Structure formats: C-alpha cells, structure tokens
Amino acid sequence: MPSLSDHFEFETVREVPESHAWTSLDDHPSGEATGHDKLPLISLSNSSDDDDNTKFLLRHACQHFGVFYVTGHGISTNLLSELELQTRRLFSLPTNQKLKAARPPDGLSGYGLARISSFFSKLMWYEGFTISGSVLHHARQLFPDDYFRFCETIEEYGKEMQKLAEKIIRLMISSLGVKEEELNWSKDLSGVFQLNSYPACPDPDKAMGLAAHTDSSLLTILHQSGTSGLQVLRKEDGHGPTRWVTVPPVAGALIVHVGDLSHILSNARFHSVLHRAIVNRYRHRYSMAYICGPPPEVKVKPLNSLNESPVFRPMTWPEYLSLKGKLFNQALHSIRVTSDDEKFKFMHGP
Ligand SMILES: C=C1C[C@]23C[C@@]1(O)CC[C@H]2[C@@]12CCC[C@@](C)(C(=O)O1)[C@H]2[C@@H]3C(=O)O
Ligand SMILES: O=C(O)CCC(=O)C(=O)O
Ligand SMILES: [Fe+2]
C-alpha cells in the first residue's frame, strides 16, 4: 500500500517514474464540452428561495450533469485570490515541513497522498491537504512563525462556503418539490476543506492527477486555479458513447459537484458524477474544495416527501465515509435496497 515515504519532490524529476506511470488514462476519449455537453452555468445573484427559474435550472443540472458552475455566489475575488495564495504557500513548503503536518494513517486531517491511493497500484501526480475541524493546529505545524493569515483565510472562506452550501442545498431540495422543513438539519451542515496540488508534469499523458471518483458529500464546492484539469465522465447527449469532458475554469464561477449523499437524499434523481483531474506539462495546478455534509449524527435517507419507495438504506456521513474507504466507487451501489430487502420488509414489516 502506498505511504508517505512514497512522496518525492515532483519538481526535480525529468520523467515520470514507473511508480507514477498509468496505463488507464485513455479508458475513454477526452475532449472539450460541445453542444448538449456544455455544463450548466447558474446565477444565484437574484435567486431567493422561491425563485422557480433557478430551481428549474438546478434540478436539470443535478439530474442530467451532476456538476455545474455557479456565479453570483457572493464570494469576493479578493477572498478567492487569498485562498489560492495560501494554498500555493502551503504546497511550496519543503517536503519535510509539510510532513510535520502529515495525516495520520487513520486520521482525517493533514498533508498526504490522495486518500484513494490504496485502491490503485500506481501513485498520483498529486499532493493534498485536508482540514477538518480547527485549522489552528495544522497552521502552527506548517508555519510556526506566521500562521495567522492562513488561519484567517480558511476560517473566513469556511463561513462563506457554509452559507453558500446551505443556500444551494435548500434550492436543490425545494426543486424536487420537497418542503425545506423535512431537512431540519440544513442549518447545521458540516464542512471539510480539501486543498489539492498537481505539480507540472514532464509527461502528462502518463500521469494521473486524481483518479476517477465521486464525492462522498452532499455537495462539493470547488475553486480551481486558472488551469484546466478537471474532467467529468459524460455520455454524449445523455445516452451516446462515454467520454471525459473537460470542465475549464470560468472567471468568477465556482464548480459544484453533486455528492453521493445528495444522490441518496433525492432517491437517485440527482446524480453524483465520476470525475478526475489530469495534469499539465507546464503549469502547476491547484484546486480548493469545500466538502459539505450533514451533521455527523444524521441518518441520511431518501426524502419522505418524494413519496416513493426508498432505493437506499439510511446511513450517517461518517458511516458512509467508512464504507467508501472500503468499497470506494462501489459504496453507493452497495447500499441500494435490493429486492431481498423488499421481500424481508414484506414478510416482517419495515
Ligand atoms: C470528507 C471526506 C471526503 C473525501 C474523504 C474525506 O474524508 C476528506 C477528503 C475527501 C477527498 C478529497 C479528494 C477526493 C476524495 C475521493 C479523496 O480521496 O479525499 C475525497 C473523499 C470523498 O469525497 O470520498
Ligand atoms: O482538482 C480538481 O479539479 C478535482 C478535485 C476533486 O475532485 C476533489 O477534491 O474531490
Ligand atoms: Fe472530487
């Protein structure tokens, strides 16, 4: 299994070593979005909770794309630039300094390889930093003499993200005709930060930035530095051949991924979409994700007011994360209610 000792100084290598050479990058053709594949761009600037047009667009995006851009989100350009600056600052530290804040083997927070590395025999062209809970502890480990600005930026961004996530989730739920009250925990969302770094790579056709996955969140709000790299797996026009479609940075827009928990809440009307990050020959790329989930004790299950039989079993976020840690991209499928469960309910009651 890959470990932190597999870290190396990406900037110093002239070719992709065997340990990082992937053969599966061409599993599907890759390209720019065209025609019907163009990702939805939704403005939130004038949307109140009863804005039917925004809800219609959101519902369409969540059902047919699983990913969309939002503008009019209210996050200032200054804050986004500062976040990017602090992210660059973190990853530019010498490796031994970053390793002082290494994520422990079973821990949630800290610096490390992609968490999904254990499912692959090759390593990714990637370094990540996860912040769950207080940022202060990590900031002190990383920047012992000068951690104030880092903490301040993460805290300020966290507050803004929580407000934005709450707004989008409320709109998504009410776009399904479900009363907000059913989600009585929507004001207590929890959030995890994921800072991602993809150094420039001498042979990008051989290296994988972040392998294909769906997010285990309700939704993930992503800001990418000005370099392309994110791709989503799409079927052309919803039913044609499958291909990797690039999601380029759009000035002023944030990207929202529908996570597995929204897939569950919506009883599979909304789709968490497979996505990955590829790397660039010349440019070091960064992305900053706010991973938003329900309060840890809440059992997430298909919404009652959808009035249909639930196709997923109830599960808390921590339980789902632990399942994902074992089954990776099969986790969602594994909690689908099977016809055997239905038979059991029929014979023994719910
Ligand atoms: C809350 C979480 C979701 C995540 C695993 C984690 O515990 C913290 C990091 C998240 C992340 C970010 C990069 C991609 C991803 C698949 C990974 O390896 O770590 C996601 C995880 C996820 O959404 O399942
Ligand atoms: O870097 C990216 O664009 C993708 C990051 C991502 O998928 C994640 O943080 O979950
Ligand atoms: Fe992701």
Side-chain angles (χ1 to χ4, degrees), residues 210 213-215 257 275:
L210 190 57
H213 64 277
T214 58
D215 291 348
H257 283 286
H275 55 280

Side-chain angles (χ1 to χ4, degrees), residues 34 75 115 185 239:
T34 50
I75 316 296
R115 199 172 305 254
W185 43 262
H239 39 74

Side-chain angles (χ1 to χ4, degrees), residues 50-322:
D50 47 10
D51 178 348
D52 286 340
N53 187 43
T54 311
K55 283 194 262 183
F56 174 83
L57 295 173
L58 267 178
R59 181 178 170 150
H60 183 263
C62 295
Q63 287 180 327
H64 301 287
F65 288 84
V67 59
F68 51 92
Y69 293 101
V70 286
T71 57
H73 42 65
I75 316 296
S76 76
T77 321
N78 277 353
L79 182 55
L80 289 168
S81 310
E82 188 60 36
L83 178 70
E84 208 174 307
L85 187 84
Q86 295 300 330
T87 303
R88 284 175 196 274
R89 185 174 161 228
L90 186 166
F91 288 112
S92 316
L93 289 170
T95 303
N96 63 353
Q97 187 62 26
K98 288 183 276 195
L99 287 173
K100 290 192 178 144
R103 195 179 69 234
D106 293 323
L108 192 60
S109 275
Y111 170 74
L113 302 176
R115 199 172 305 254
I116 52 179
S117 295
S118 57
F119 295 98
F120 299 92
S121 57
K122 298 293 179 173
L123 289 163
M124 296 171 217
W125 208 260
Y126 171 91
E127 301 170 89
F129 201 96
T130 312
I131 304 166
S132 169
S134 160
V135 55
L136 185 63
H137 172 63
H138 289 311
R140 277 200 179 127
Q141 292 170 317
L142 293 166
F143 314 107
D145 304 320
D146 183 11
Y147 50 82
F148 178 75
R149 198 76 196 108
F150 185 81
C151 290
E152 196 184 52
T153 307
I154 295 289
E155 274 164 11
E156 195 183 339
Y157 195 67
K159 279 189 203 137
E160 293 297 317
M161 283 290 113
Q162 189 170 10
K163 276 192 269 169
L164 180 61
E166 188 188 315
K167 176 171 186 169
I168 299 174
I169 287 170
R170 282 221 307 269
L171 284 163
M172 277 165 59
I173 296 306
S174 68
S175 82
L176 289 170
V178 169
K179 293 241 162 28
E180 266 175 45
E181 295 80 72
E182 196 182 331
L183 225 61
N184 53 8
W185 43 262
S186 73
K187 287 202 160 33
D188 304 309
L189 301 174
S190 28
V192 174
F193 274 97
Q194 180 69 28
L195 308 179
N196 302 311
S197 158
Y198 309 91
C201 174
D203 194 350
D205 295 337
K206 274 199 186 152
M208 175 70 85
L210 190 57
H213 64 277
T214 58
D215 291 348
S216 316
S217 52
L218 278 170
L219 51 83
T220 303
I221 305 178
L222 189 84
H223 169 58
Q224 44 180 343
S225 62
T227 304
S228 276
L230 175 63
Q231 296 189 319
V232 293
L233 194 62
R234 274 199 59 73
K235 275 188 186 297
E236 220 168 275
D237 298 342
H239 39 74
T242 309
R243 64 188 197 109
W244 286 110
V245 171
T246 303
V247 184
V250 168
L254 293 166
I255 294 161
V256 179
H257 283 286
V258 172
D260 294 344
L261 298 188
S262 290
H263 193 120
I264 297 173
L265 269 185
S266 68
N267 214 22
R269 293 181 188 203
F270 294 163
H271 288 276
S272 53
V273 69
L274 269 179
H275 55 280
R276 68 178 187 180
I278 56 169
V279 293
N280 189 284
R281 188 183 300 275
Y282 306 106
R283 299 180 64 146
H284 193 142
R285 173 172 182 269
Y286 301 89
S287 70
M288 291 123 262
Y290 182 79
I291 299 163
C292 171
E297 68 288 354
V298 166
K299 290 259 185 204
V300 176
K301 57 179 176 26
L303 293 156
N304 289 332
S305 15
L306 291 172
N307 278 328
E308 51 190 30
S309 50
V311 294
F312 295 104
R313 282 188 277 122
M315 191 155 270
T316 66
W317 196 20
E319 283 166 351
Y320 187 71
L321 283 171
S322 139

